[in-house]
Amino acid sequence: MMRGKRAALVVAGMVWCVLSLTIPHEAQAGGYSVRGLRGFPTVSNQYTVSADLAAFYNPSDGSTLTSSPLSAVTCNVSAQGRNGRDQASALPDGWVRVYATRSSSSAPACLASVSPPPTGPALQGGDTHWAYLGTFQLASGNFTSWRMFGSWMRPEEFLNILSNGSATTETSVDISSFVPPEALEWEALRSFNITTASSGPYPGVFCYTLFMGYLPGKTHRSAFNCFNGLTPGVGQLSEPNDVRMPNQNQTFWYKWELYQGSNQQFSVDLYGYKVPNGGE
């Protein structure tokens, strides 16, 4: 997207031409705009990022710089400084933010920090501008196995965030160990397992509604299934399906309404979250 300002050249009361000065939208959104971002852990304590374009923001004066492309740079969290971490002591396990940094006279570097945007990192080595790229966890001082694809952060393997949930009253699920506070939304696969009625008037039948939502008291019907003619008293596993949910306080809510059947189980496996880096 391009944004511009127009100026008219007026001679003898007539408009002869209209000039347009355009400024890339990416550069105007400094610190929160990347295009074609890719990132991956190279070894346990290092993370490499590159992008087609990155807009850098100076928190002191609001100025921006643009690198197109952003050639591959690597953070090593074992060392302080450019292409390392932004503090003398080792970064604690937990959420760590990855930034690209530079100045008007230096090539881009990579920097890891516990500080989220809009505060940003403690800039190193004379750098003046930063671009937020993404957020992951450190475990035992090393990057966990996550990759960057634009604004989406994807685990190399799905992560179970709820296993065999059976609550029939609205229940919260804390996902703060899996989704960072700045994430905008998250995606997961969900599956259902329920045992058919073994006796009574409806043997071989199950029927349920699953409610899910991101605010307490506002869950909505997320899945509804009724089947008959099945083997009585046998568990039935559904095909997994996708769910995308806004990130509200790193929590979601669910409950079952069970009409026929028993031993209901609801499982959710995370496969990504979206961060506010302006990427696509």
Side-chain angles (χ1 to χ4, degrees):
M1 181 183 295
M2 306 292 285
R3 293 181 179 176
K5 298 179 181 179
R6 293 183 176 179
L9 176 63
V10 181
V11 179
M14 299 181 63
V15 178
W16 284 79
C17 62
V18 176
L19 305 177
S20 179
L21 173 64
T22 59
I23 302 172
H25 172 60
E26 292 87 347
Q28 292 181 340
Y32 295 93
S33 194
V34 292
R35 295 292 183 268
L37 175 65
R38 293 288 187 273
F40 57 93
T42 46
V43 294
S44 58
N45 62 343
Q46 297 180 28
Y47 201 92
T48 297
V49 294
S50 63
D52 297 334
L53 179 145
F56 295 76
Y57 168 70
N58 184 326
S60 298
D61 60 16
S63 64
T64 60
L65 296 170
T66 301
S67 291
S68 181
L70 172 64
S71 298
V73 290
T74 299
C75 292
N76 183 341
V77 294
S78 298
Q80 182 188 10
R82 300 183 86 239
N83 294 315
R85 60 178 187 262
D86 71 342
Q87 61 185 52
S89 59
L91 297 176
D93 285 350
W95 296 114
V96 64
R97 284 79 191 178
V98 176
Y99 295 88
T101 65
R102 61 166 293 185
S103 70
S104 59
S105 59
S106 65
C110 187
L111 193 62
S113 174
V114 297
S115 179
T119 302
L123 293 167
Q124 303 288 302
D127 283 347
T128 54
H129 293 65
W130 56 261
Y132 167 66
L133 301 180
T135 302
F136 307 108
Q137 283 196 335
L138 287 184
S140 300
N142 295 318
F143 286 104
T144 50
S145 297
W146 285 75
R147 291 176 178 255
M148 295 181 179
F149 298 94
S151 60
W152 283 93
M153 312 289 108
R154 304 289 189 185
E156 293 183 352
E157 297 181 356
F158 288 7
L159 302 174
N160 180 254
I161 60 176
L162 176 65
S163 181
N164 300 332
S166 60
T168 54
T169 58
E170 195 172 77
T171 298
S172 64
V173 179
D174 180 4
I175 57 173
S176 60
S177 295
F178 302 95
V179 176
E182 63 265 32
L184 302 174
E185 56 184 330
W186 51 271
E187 290 183 331
L189 281 178
R190 58 185 184 170
S191 58
F192 313 92
N193 196 330
I194 190 167
T195 300
T196 57
S198 59
S199 59
Y202 303 106
V205 172
F206 73 78
C207 190
Y208 68 84
T209 300
L210 192 285
F211 292 81
M212 192 175 182
Y214 63 93
L215 291 172
K218 297 184 181 296
T219 56
H220 58 276
R221 190 170 79 170
S222 184
F224 172 79
N225 277 304
C226 286
F227 283 91
N228 60 20
L230 303 172
T231 303
V234 174
Q236 304 291 327
L237 179 65
S238 71
E239 286 292 329
N241 56 63
D242 295 298
V243 61
R244 181 183 289 190
M245 191 75 64
N247 180 31
Q248 179 70 24
N249 297 325
Q250 299 165 283
T251 303
F252 73 91
W253 301 74
Y254 84 97
K255 71 173 181 178
W256 287 88
E257 283 192 1
L258 193 61
Y259 314 121
Q260 291 293 326
S262 62
N263 193 31
Q264 67 278 9
Q265 298 174 353
F266 175 43
S267 296
V268 183
D269 295 310
L270 181 77
Y271 65 86
Y273 51 80
K274 183 177 183 179
V275 298
N277 64 10
E280 57 183 26

